[in-house]
Amino acid sequence: MSRSLQEMFKDALSCMENDKFDDALPNLNTIIDLRPILVASYVQRGRVNWEMHRWDQARADFNEAFTLDPDSADAKWTMGLMELQLGNFEHGWKLYDERWNSSSFKSPKLKTRLPSWEIGKGYKSVLVWCEQGIGDQLLYGSLLSALKQHVDNVTVMIDVRLLNLFQRANPNIRFIPHNTKVQNSEYDSQIAIASIGRHFIKSTGDIDVYRATKYITADPSRIAQVRQELQIKPGESVIGLSWASTAPSIAKHKSIELKKLLGLWDIPNVKIVNLQYGKPDYDIEPFEQETGKLIYQTTVNNFFDLEGVAAIMSLCDAVVSVSNANVHIAGAMGVDTFVLDANKLWYWNHKEGRYSLFYPSVRLYPRANMVAPWDEQVEQIIEELKVYARHQ
């Protein structure tokens, strides 16, 4: 690749990193016209078209990448995510399994010689090992009960912050910390938690059949502690609020400026409670100073203490959040949740009425594409919450 083409490719990537997806196209188109054998350019153009929901064009770009390099794991994994988003599950799962071979996929793989678990192979015990983030572990954790129907003993390596939340609600499954040193001799098979889906979800209708509901539960003693801190008054509507994601590379795509949610405070008798974690938590003080609105805080560390977060949610009439780990916690508990959906992640497919397929208590408000404004979705949520609050 000549220097000029390298610079054009870097400029295109810079545009994509700053959500200027269509601004990346001229450079990518020129590179492809001049050097049509460059697989990476087709992959990146496919990603641009995917982000902008030009599905047919994205698929054509990924297929061209496959033609040039049938072993391109990056192209396969990326296209797998898109196919899952479109509900093409059997093809999507097959491509999604290529994530382990992609240089862009950063989650570590368990080193083991145990065979991969398969339905009908007669395995008696399975080690499920976690991957990716808290949200992914909660999402695919909804299929653990389906897995348990096919194998006598299920042991799950899970993020330690989720350990008791899962164990409390699933006494017939064993949960151990994600960093436990396991003995292979205890199991006759293994599976990554995100790979469970390909065994059960062959079509959209399978999600209702196989996913569990209310499969994590909060600690009653922590609920009592948080209730005392919040001093909730009779007739108050308690709304838990989270406005930002901290996920690497896609956080800005999924976040919203706190001031854009100001209308939430117009809901009668509302108490807004902080569920935000990480650096965006620092937005609270300047927001309160500028607007005069109060976001109630607890002593819970919203990043490390997920038992505390679950306790807060147990006291909420509703949770309002962007797509982050809080949505998965609330959804797994069955808490009514209103989600500003960046329309990027495949698992937020929804039924009529906006309800999530995986989490029946979660309502989704997707924007048109990754660069569309949030105004319409915020207005819809606030109006629906006003009605919702009157019926509590």
Side-chain angles (χ1 to χ4, degrees), residues 333-373:
M333 293 176 63
V335 176
D336 287 332
T337 307
F338 297 73
V339 181
L340 289 158
D341 175 18
N343 214 337
K344 180 180 179 68
L345 299 173
W346 76 266
Y347 44 73
W348 291 139
N349 291 338
H350 58 85
K351 298 181 284 189
E352 292 182 14
R354 299 187 182 279
Y355 286 94
S356 164
L357 290 166
F358 274 96
Y359 304 116
S361 67
V362 171
R363 306 177 213 192
L364 300 159
Y365 299 80
R367 58 180 175 179
N369 56 57
M370 292 299 295
V371 295

Side-chain angles (χ1 to χ4, degrees), residues 10-23:
K10 289 181 180 179
D11 287 345
L13 293 180
S14 177
C15 288
M16 294 169 68
E17 288 169 0
N18 288 284
D19 295 348
K20 298 178 181 178
F21 297 107
D22 281 339
D23 288 352

Side-chain angles (χ1 to χ4, degrees), residues 134 137 158-165 176-179 304:
I134 288 288
Q137 294 173 48
I158 203 78
D159 190 296
V160 68
R161 293 171 290 175
L162 295 171
L163 190 65
N164 290 327
L165 289 166
I176 60 176
H178 65 281
N179 55 358
F304 291 107

Side-chain angles (χ1 to χ4, degrees), residues 27-84:
N27 279 332
L28 291 173
N29 290 340
T30 298
I31 295 169
I32 288 170
D33 288 341
L34 293 173
R35 295 285 181 89
I37 62 170
L38 298 175
V39 175
S41 297
Y42 281 105
V43 173
Q44 296 305 326
R45 192 170 73 176
R47 286 175 170 164
V48 166
N49 285 318
W50 174 31
E51 299 285 11
M52 301 307 291
H53 293 185
R54 294 187 285 260
W55 312 112
D56 290 342
Q57 292 166 266
R59 187 178 283 114
D61 283 327
F62 291 132
N63 284 333
E64 188 62 35
F66 299 151
T67 300
L68 293 170
D69 182 4
D71 297 322
S72 175
D74 197 26
K76 290 178 181 178
W77 171 50
T78 306
M79 188 174 180
L81 290 169
M82 187 183 78
E83 294 294 356
L84 290 173

Side-chain angles (χ1 to χ4, degrees), residues 123-340:
Y123 293 118
K124 300 297 183 181
S125 60
V126 61
L127 175 66
V128 181
W129 45 281
C130 64
E131 56 171 294
Q132 304 180 67
I134 288 288
D136 300 276
Q137 294 173 48
L138 283 161
L139 174 78
Y140 297 110
S142 68
L143 298 173
L144 290 172
S145 58
L147 176 64
K148 183 65 176 68
Q149 297 299 312
H150 293 269
V151 62
D152 294 338
N153 299 305
V154 177
T155 299
V156 184
M157 301 175 72
I158 203 78
D159 190 296
V160 68
R161 293 171 290 175
L162 295 171
L163 190 65
N164 290 327
L165 289 166
F166 268 106
Q167 191 66 78
R168 195 177 294 117
N170 302 273
N172 61 338
I173 297 174
R174 178 186 175 215
F175 294 87
I176 60 176
H178 65 281
N179 55 358
T180 301
K181 291 184 178 180
V182 297
Q183 298 295 323
N184 286 347
S185 58
E186 296 182 34
Y187 317 99
D188 59 14
S189 62
Q190 55 79 29
I191 189 170
I193 197 166
S195 293
I196 298 174
R198 69 181 175 88
H199 296 283
F200 297 100
I201 310 301
K202 310 294 186 182
S203 67
T204 300
D206 289 337
I207 298 175
D208 259 345
V209 174
Y210 291 108
R211 61 101 174 93
T213 58
K214 298 183 180 180
Y215 53 92
I216 64 170
T217 54
D219 181 347
S221 66
R222 295 301 304 278
I223 296 173
Q225 174 192 336
V226 173
R227 188 191 303 275
Q228 186 173 13
E229 286 188 45
L230 290 176
Q231 295 292 301
I232 301 166
K233 299 174 183 177
E236 278 187 325
S237 292
V238 180
I239 295 177
L241 180 62
S242 182
W243 57 93
S245 168
T246 59
S249 77
I250 60 173
K252 61 186 177 183
H253 299 158
K254 302 196 296 177
S255 302
I256 185 172
E257 188 179 359
L258 185 52
K259 286 193 296 184
K260 291 187 178 296
L261 297 168
L262 192 58
L264 289 172
W265 280 261
D266 294 334
I267 298 170
N269 300 316
V270 73
K271 175 172 278 187
I272 307 293
V273 179
N274 179 37
L275 291 173
Q276 185 57 55
Y277 53 89
K279 290 183 179 179
D281 196 35
Y282 295 125
D283 295 341
I284 293 176
E285 185 175 350
F287 170 81
E288 290 182 331
Q289 291 177 349
E290 182 177 346
T291 65
K293 304 299 183 182
L294 180 64
I295 300 177
Y296 286 83
Q297 305 263 30
T298 69
T299 57
V300 172
N301 183 309
N302 290 342
F303 181 79
F304 291 107
D305 183 9
L306 298 188
E307 285 276 4
V309 171
I312 297 171
M313 289 181 178
S314 295
L315 297 170
C316 290
D317 295 295
V319 167
V320 175
S321 182
V322 296
S323 173
N324 62 20
N326 281 323
V327 175
H328 295 276
I329 297 170
M333 293 176 63
V335 176
D336 287 332
T337 307
F338 297 73
V339 181
L340 289 158

Side-chain angles (χ1 to χ4, degrees), residues 86-123:
L86 293 173
N88 302 321
F89 287 103
E90 292 206 59
H91 186 45
W93 289 126
K94 183 178 180 181
L95 294 172
Y96 183 61
D97 276 346
E98 290 291 331
R99 64 193 183 279
W100 302 109
N101 299 317
S102 170
S103 59
S104 300
F105 188 72
K106 304 303 181 184
S107 190
K109 188 175 184 179
L110 181 71
K111 294 180 180 179
T112 178
R113 294 181 180 179
L114 289 171
S116 295
W117 181 84
E118 297 280 346
I119 289 178
K121 293 293 183 69
Y123 293 118

